[in-house]
């Protein structure tokens, strides 16, 4: 049986663990919100589909993916898409 001296870990040493993030799938409403967020700007269809695919198993990762993509493209010139209902 190993003791703390054998493992070379002092008994008083505090071991810190990072909080583990649990993957939670996005609801239909959250997926729609994600799609709306991404489609306010002209993006490739592949980016939208990838974000929605990620959202089926990890909502937080999908929103991080969308934010990272949008932050990368903010440096470029954006084309803002307006719906007809907003222009009235």
């Amino acid at each position: 049986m190993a003791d703390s001296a054998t493992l070379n870990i002092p008994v008083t040493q505090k071991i810190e663990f990072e909080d583990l993030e649990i993957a939670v799938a996005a609801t239909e409403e959250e997926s729609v919100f994600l799609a709306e967020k991404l489609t306010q700007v002209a993006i490739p269809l592949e980016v939208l589909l990838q974000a929605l695919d990620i959202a089926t198993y990890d909502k937080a990762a999908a929103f991080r993916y969308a934010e990272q993509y949008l932050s990368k493209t903010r440096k470029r010139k954006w084309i803002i898409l307006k719906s007809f209902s907003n222009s009235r």
Side-chain angles (χ1 to χ4, degrees), residues 30-56 62-63 65-66 69-70 81:
E30 291 166 332
S31 294
V32 169
F33 177 73
L34 177 64
E36 287 175 350
K37 179 177 187 166
L38 282 170
T39 56
Q40 289 176 357
V41 178
I43 61 164
L45 179 60
E46 295 83 23
V47 173
L48 175 62
L49 295 177
Q50 181 68 26
L52 292 174
D53 187 44
I54 295 169
T56 60
F63 278 91
Y65 174 79
Y69 181 83
L70 293 174
L81 304 176

Side-chain angles (χ1 to χ4, degrees), residues 10-29:
V11 176
T12 58
Q13 180 180 358
K14 183 177 180 180
I15 301 173
E16 295 184 23
F17 294 97
E18 291 183 27
D19 291 336
L20 295 178
E21 186 176 305
I22 299 173
V24 177
T27 63
E28 287 182 28
E29 292 83 15

